[in-house]
Amino acid sequence: MKTIKIAAAAAAVVLLLTACGKNAESKYDFTMPDSPIEFVSTTVADPKDESLAYAAIQFNGKTYVSYGTLEGELDPAEVGSRLGYYVQDGEKIEKIGVFPLTSDPDQNYLFLMDEELVMNEITFFRNSETVGKDITTPSFIKSKNYSYWN
C-alpha cells in the first residue's frame, strides 16, 4: 500500500510539472521572426565609476543597458512580438528571446526571456538615452538600483 501511495505522489508531481511546462510554453509566443535580430551582449562602463560595467545590447541604433528584473508575473498581453535572440561571447543562444513591451510605445525597455522559463529571471534593459529622464517604468519591473541609472 505504501508503494502505491509513493507511486501516486510521484505521478502527481510529474503531471504537475508537465502541466506547468505546457502552461509556460503556451503563455508567451516565442515564435522566431523570419529575419531575427542578433542581440550581441556588450558592456557599457558606468560614467560615474569606470570600474563598473553593465551588460548592454543594441537595437535600432540605441544602446540598452541592464536595468532590472521582473517583480511578480508578466501578463502575456505585455509581451510584444519577439525581435530576435541573444548572443553572448560569440555563442548564439536562440532559446533566449528579446522582446519589447506592448505598453511601451517609445521602446524605453526591452527584455530577455528564456523559452524554457525554468528558474530564469526575466531581465529588463533600458534605453541609455533615458538616463536622468523621468520616464514611466511599469510596476512589474524591479530596478536593481545600478548607479548607472541614478
Side-chain angles (χ1 to χ4, degrees):
M1 189 60 134
K2 188 174 184 177
T3 305
I4 293 173
K5 287 182 183 178
I6 292 172
V13 170
V14 169
L15 285 173
L16 179 65
L17 292 175
T18 303
C20 289
K22 286 182 181 174
N23 254 351
E25 287 176 20
S26 64
K27 190 173 185 179
Y28 305 108
D29 182 6
F30 284 96
T31 303
M32 188 75 77
D34 291 336
S35 299
I37 299 168
E38 289 186 355
F39 288 87
V40 179
S41 175
T42 61
T43 57
V44 172
D46 188 325
K48 299 170 205 114
D49 182 354
E50 300 229 352
S51 68
L52 297 174
Y54 302 97
I57 54 177
Q58 304 290 319
F59 179 62
N60 282 345
K62 298 175 182 177
T63 301
Y64 287 77
V65 179
S66 184
Y67 180 81
T69 58
L70 178 66
E71 182 168 62
E73 287 197 36
L74 182 60
D75 183 337
E78 284 285 349
V79 180
S81 296
R82 185 176 185 169
L83 301 170
Y85 56 88
Y86 194 58
V87 178
Q88 187 173 24
D89 298 327
E91 180 184 346
K92 295 179 181 181
I93 310 171
E94 293 186 16
K95 70 177 186 164
I96 298 179
V98 180
F99 300 84
L101 293 168
T102 57
S103 63
D104 181 23
D106 296 324
Q107 293 185 321
N108 292 318
Y109 292 95
L110 296 177
F111 65 97
L112 306 180
M113 185 166 51
D114 188 327
E115 287 180 8
E116 296 172 8
L117 297 174
V118 180
M119 303 292 285
N120 289 318
E121 292 186 333
I122 291 176
T123 304
F124 290 91
F125 286 75
R126 181 173 162 179
N127 181 346
S128 64
E129 294 174 356
T130 65
V131 169
K133 294 183 179 175
D134 186 21
I135 66 165
T136 301
T137 299
S139 62
F140 53 81
I141 297 178
K142 180 181 177 184
S143 170
K144 285 198 168 191
N145 293 315
Y146 293 135
S147 67
Y148 182 93
W149 296 108
N150 299 324

